[in-house]
Amino acid sequence: PIENKLKNSIKFADFKTATPIQSKSIPISLTGKDILGTAQTGTGKTLAFTIPMINKLILDKNAMALIICPTRELASQVMQTVLKLNVREIGIGNALLIGGESMQKQLKKLKKKARIIVGTPGRINDHLKRQSLNLARVSYLVLDETDRMLDMGFTPQIELILKFIPRNHQTLLFSATLPNNILRISEKYLNNPERIAVGSLSTPIEKIKQETFQITQDKKYHELINQLIERNGSILVFVKTKHGADKIVKRLKYDGHSADAIHGNLRQSKRDRVINGFRNGKSRILIATDVAARGLDIPLIQHVINYDLPQVPEDYIHRIGRTGRAGKEGSALTFLTPTDRSMWNAISRLIDPNFKPPQSGHKKSFRGKKRHNASFNKERKFKDKKKFFKRDDSRKSNFNSKKKFFKRENSRKSNFKDKKKKFGFTNNPKFFDKKSSSDFTEDSKKYSFKDKKKKFGFTNNPKYFDKKPSNDFSSKSDKKNFKFKTKKKFKNRKRPK
């Protein structure tokens, strides 16, 4: 039961068959009830809320609609779907409020009585502070990809926006997953919502072929090159950091591949150019952070490669959901390094609750030769132990290397004890082969080591005792008169400005 104008625009946009989420939610939302909808990515959630929205705005000329999205890309994509349906015959004013775009253009759009507002929480709040946006007539509210918005920390901003919206309005909350914090929000802001769930929330689309590749960190890039050569069609590669994305793009361009990067540091105009270039086939490879994991709808994507694992297990499902959209086939490859084992187990448990991690034997082969994970070895070499252990008195080998750490044993040779008494301690092996100087004969005990030590200080240089004491240090008066010749040079020297 929708308006004829909207029926014509749906035909014109070439939408023929409704997806399960659309066929379940559209009839309910047309009646004016709140909806809590969950479905996998790529199942057509956007049309599920835009068709009832436009129908409502055609019927009520004063009503407004607000759609809040987590990312700029998703907001732009939702607006493109709205524009497909909002043809000239319907002609409802609209405004896209996202960061990174001209504020003046957005203000002009809002002055023309825009009734469909699509935007991100940050920019919508900016307009509310400027008082350039009035939400007093909003009767249709959509929270799209709500789980993603909460993950990104938009909860306070969303609550601020909801304060400006009148109480009597219809709310549609759509999400790919349904954690506890979304259930709390639905209880707070939704009025007796209809619960619609299509398919399993944690199971990826069946037509996506999933593969894993066990590899070490240093060989990842070379394997990525091999995969890019083997695979045909456009490829989306997910990495962990913005810096990592830029670095890989530079290397790929150097190696002769057409690649681009998309991440949070890019300006909106640059993001749009990158996505359009990838959509039109100008660049075959797109290196992305998780900013592109949600809502990016590019039918051309045939392969997804997880170069790095995501930070949250749920993001894995959204990442690989970029391929195999609208019933098409796709493939997803994930690189697994030894450090990824715990996260991969968490992802596997999310996909299959009955998943059991591999036995210890499998873990060992997966880990490879990583030393710090090996069990403690009591017979490890002394070099590894010396930082942590006090030495045993029973150690006998390599006295030279151990003298800093061990107490000496009482069972040393008497030869060493005798020499020690005469000459003091030294670690010079040549010292004991030398003939004692005339200073150390038994007749002249007055030049014993203790006396020399008092006069000249302790030394372990064997040649020192052969020398005669110098006259410079014979008296204290000579010491006082001794001065450095070069001291005056520095005294009058001017410092540079």
Side-chain angles (χ1 to χ4, degrees):
I2 57 175
E3 293 295 301
N4 289 326
K5 290 179 183 178
L6 184 55
K7 279 183 181 176
N8 293 332
S9 68
I10 290 169
K11 285 179 186 176
F12 185 73
D14 204 27
F15 295 128
K16 292 175 182 176
T17 310
T19 62
I21 186 71
Q22 291 164 8
S23 58
K24 283 186 178 182
S25 65
I26 290 172
I28 296 167
S29 54
L30 285 170
T31 61
K33 287 187 177 180
D34 288 3
I35 287 177
L36 176 60
T38 50
Q40 293 173 346
T41 55
T43 54
K45 291 197 295 285
T46 308
L47 267 184
F49 59 75
T50 49
I51 289 173
M53 175 190 73
I54 290 173
N55 192 71
K56 187 165 187 172
L57 295 180
I58 291 170
L59 293 170
D60 187 354
K61 301 293 182 184
N62 293 320
M64 279 180 69
L66 176 65
I67 302 169
I68 306 174
C69 305
T71 62
R72 301 171 186 179
E73 285 71 31
L74 185 55
S76 302
Q77 211 161 268
V78 169
M79 183 54 85
Q80 285 171 13
T81 308
V82 169
L83 294 174
K84 277 185 183 179
L85 298 177
N86 186 23
V87 291
R88 283 186 181 180
E89 291 177 9
I90 299 168
I92 301 167
N94 56 76
L96 177 64
L97 308 180
I98 56 173
E101 286 203 346
S102 168
M103 184 68 85
Q104 295 302 320
K105 285 182 182 179
Q106 292 173 12
L107 291 170
K108 282 179 185 177
K109 284 258 185 181
L110 290 170
K111 282 179 183 177
K112 291 178 181 177
K113 296 180 181 179
R115 290 169 60 206
I116 299 172
I117 310 293
V118 182
T120 50
R123 184 51 67 97
I124 291 169
N125 269 310
D126 286 347
H127 281 285
L128 289 171
K129 285 176 186 176
R130 286 169 171 254
Q131 295 182 351
S132 55
L133 178 62
N134 184 4
L135 300 178
R137 292 186 292 124
V138 169
S139 61
Y140 192 93
L141 172 68
V142 179
L143 298 171
D144 193 16
E145 298 281 8
T146 314
D147 52 344
R148 180 70 168 158
M149 283 198 278
L150 300 187
D151 289 343
M152 293 169 77
F154 284 136
T155 310
Q157 292 183 327
I158 291 166
E159 288 180 344
L160 272 173
I161 294 166
L162 293 176
K163 286 178 183 177
F164 289 89
I165 296 170
R167 284 189 179 181
N168 296 325
H169 69 271
Q170 184 183 356
T171 307
L172 283 77
L173 191 152
F174 284 93
S175 176
T177 57
L178 201 63
N180 292 329
N181 50 4
I182 286 183
L183 291 172
R184 285 196 295 271
I185 279 189
S186 65
E187 287 171 6
K188 190 175 180 181
Y189 295 109
L190 272 66
N191 182 24
N192 296 325
E194 285 282 337
R195 175 82 173 82
I196 297 171
V198 177
S200 171
L201 303 182
S202 58
T203 309
I205 297 162
E206 292 176 0
K207 290 192 176 181
I208 299 173
K209 182 187 175 186
Q210 295 179 71
E211 300 171 290
T212 57
F213 195 97
Q214 293 182 8
I215 196 168
T216 54
Q217 188 68 34
D218 56 330
K219 293 178 182 175
K220 264 189 185 181
Y221 178 76
H222 300 291
E223 185 53 39
L224 177 65
I225 295 292
N226 294 338
Q227 294 294 335
L228 296 177
I229 293 166
E230 286 176 16
R231 294 166 187 264
N232 297 319
S234 57
I235 301 168
L236 180 60
V237 181
F238 281 104
V239 295
K240 195 181 290 182
T241 61
K242 301 168 188 175
H243 174 71
D246 289 333
K247 193 176 177 183
I248 289 171
V249 167
K250 280 183 183 177
R251 291 183 74 178
L252 287 173
K253 284 183 175 176
Y254 183 79
D255 292 336
H257 295 274
S258 59
D260 263 318
I262 180 169
H263 50 71
N265 277 5
L266 297 182
R267 288 183 180 178
Q268 188 57 40
S269 55
K270 174 70 173 173
R271 284 200 211 183
D272 293 339
R273 282 202 302 273
V274 168
I275 290 172
N276 289 332
F278 186 62
R279 197 175 261 130
N280 300 330
K282 287 182 181 177
S283 56
R284 177 177 165 247
I285 304 151
L286 183 63
I287 312 294
T289 56
D290 279 320
V291 76
R294 302 279 189 112
L296 193 67
D297 185 18
I298 301 170
L300 287 171
I301 297 173
Q302 294 169 3
H303 309 279
V304 169
I305 296 175
N306 288 306
Y307 191 84
D308 298 317
L309 280 186
Q311 303 293 319
V312 184
E314 286 84 0
D315 281 347
Y316 172 81
I317 294 157
H318 298 295
R319 279 184 176 189
I320 69 172
R322 296 310 100 210
T323 184
R325 295 181 77 80
K328 294 179 182 177
E329 291 185 355
S331 73
L333 174 69
T334 303
F335 289 161
L336 294 179
T337 61
T339 55
D340 293 331
R341 194 190 317 110
S342 60
M343 178 54 75
W344 182 246
N345 288 344
I347 291 167
S348 302
R349 277 193 295 273
L350 179 70
I351 295 169
D352 179 13
N354 299 322
F355 170 78
K356 290 181 181 178
Q359 300 296 324
S360 58
H362 295 293
K363 283 185 181 178
K364 192 172 182 182
S365 61
F366 183 75
R367 178 170 59 225
K369 295 180 180 180
K370 201 141 191 179
R371 189 172 175 181
H372 68 269
N373 284 334
S375 59
F376 179 73
N377 182 6
K378 286 185 179 178
E379 296 180 0
R380 196 175 284 174
K381 288 181 181 179
F382 172 70
K383 285 181 182 179
D384 295 332
K385 281 181 137 186
K386 68 182 181 181
K387 293 178 183 176
F388 309 101
F389 299 106
K390 292 181 180 178
R391 291 183 308 180
D392 297 340
D393 291 331
S394 59
R395 299 275 180 199
K396 290 180 181 179
S397 61
N398 280 338
F399 177 76
N400 288 337
S401 62
K402 293 186 177 183
K403 64 175 185 174
K404 293 179 182 177
F405 310 98
F406 288 90
K407 293 178 181 178
R408 281 174 305 169
E409 297 173 359
N410 294 327
S411 59
R412 295 286 176 199
K413 293 178 182 178
S414 60
N415 189 12
F416 178 77
K417 281 187 177 179
D418 297 335
K419 292 206 170 189
K420 183 190 163 192
K421 286 178 183 177
K422 278 187 177 183
F423 312 117
F425 177 68
T426 182
N427 62 350
N428 190 344
K430 293 179 182 178
F431 178 79
F432 301 114
D433 298 334
K434 293 197 172 189
K435 292 179 181 180
S436 58
S437 67
S438 58
D439 293 334
F440 292 93
T441 54
E442 289 180 4
D443 297 333
S444 55
K445 284 184 181 178
K446 60 184 176 179
Y447 287 104
S448 66
F449 175 72
K450 286 182 179 178
D451 296 331
K452 288 214 167 193
K453 186 179 173 184
K454 286 177 185 177
K455 281 186 177 182
F456 310 117
F458 176 74
T459 181
N460 62 352
N461 188 349
K463 293 178 181 179
Y464 179 80
F465 301 114
D466 296 336
K467 289 184 179 180
K468 293 179 181 179
S470 64
N471 295 325
D472 293 338
F473 299 93
S474 57
S475 64
K476 289 183 181 178
S477 60
D478 291 335
K479 275 187 184 181
K480 288 179 182 176
N481 295 331
F482 181 80
K483 291 181 181 178
F484 287 106
K485 291 179 182 179
T486 56
K487 200 170 183 182
K488 288 180 182 178
K489 288 182 183 178
F490 297 95
K491 196 171 182 180
N492 299 324
R493 195 157 124 196
K494 292 180 180 179
R495 291 188 180 184
K497 290 183 181 178

